[in-house]
Amino acid sequence: MPQTAPHHPGSAELRLRARQEAAVFLRGLPVSADPAAPLRACAEAMSQASTPAEVHALTELAASGEDAGLISLRNLLRAAGTRCREQGEGQLATRYERTSDLLDIADRTLFKLGVDLLASAYATGPDVSEPPPASASHAEGAST
């Protein structure tokens, strides 16, 4: 009798099995059925942004801060790494942790990019941290 090779499911089959197996678990959690919806909304709004400040605000809303998508994804990957390590899967844990580190790098890069965008936009514009000259001279006259 010929020997049959073991079946190694492909990525699509593995992902389908996981979705089916986790369906009941996920229904019991307070997670959105569409966790990327806020990010998609920011991406769609980007086409309407007309100033560097608006571009920056949308990018920061989507990517910066502990509650934003990028950092939340980083935290999820770190938690997955911890869980893998607890289950004795050290190599997988390390891969999750390294991937989360890449998101840290992306976060820092996006921060710097945002600062560069704003610096470029405001390099020739008025300094809004200083009062306008008319207000300054009025305040000087009021004190004498």
Side-chain angles (χ1 to χ4, degrees):
M1 178 182 241
Q3 192 174 22
T4 59
H7 173 66
H8 295 288
S11 62
E13 184 178 342
L14 290 169
R15 293 172 68 229
L16 176 62
R17 284 185 190 178
R19 276 194 305 276
Q20 290 171 340
E21 184 181 324
V24 172
F25 171 72
L26 292 175
R27 278 194 297 271
L29 296 177
V31 295
S32 170
D34 186 8
L39 292 174
R40 270 196 302 284
C42 287
E44 290 168 9
M46 192 63 76
S47 66
Q48 299 168 22
S50 60
T51 68
E54 292 168 353
V55 169
H56 174 72
L58 284 169
T59 303
E60 192 166 73
L61 180 65
S64 297
E66 286 299 315
D67 294 329
L70 183 66
I71 298 304
S72 295
L73 180 56
R74 179 208 61 194
N75 294 342
L76 173 79
L77 294 173
R78 285 183 180 170
T82 298
R83 188 72 178 131
C84 285
R85 198 166 298 288
E86 290 169 353
Q87 294 177 343
E89 295 287 348
Q91 288 182 335
L92 287 173
T94 299
R95 289 173 59 196
Y96 274 111
E97 292 160 357
R98 286 182 180 161
T99 303
S100 77
D101 291 344
L102 294 174
L103 295 178
D104 271 336
I105 294 167
D107 180 54
R108 288 190 301 272
T109 302
L110 286 171
F111 175 82
K112 176 70 172 122
L113 184 58
V115 170
D116 291 347
L117 171 68
L118 296 174
S120 175
Y122 298 133
T124 58
D127 183 356
V128 293
S129 65
E130 296 292 324
S135 299
S137 62
H138 176 69
E140 290 174 32
S143 64
T144 55

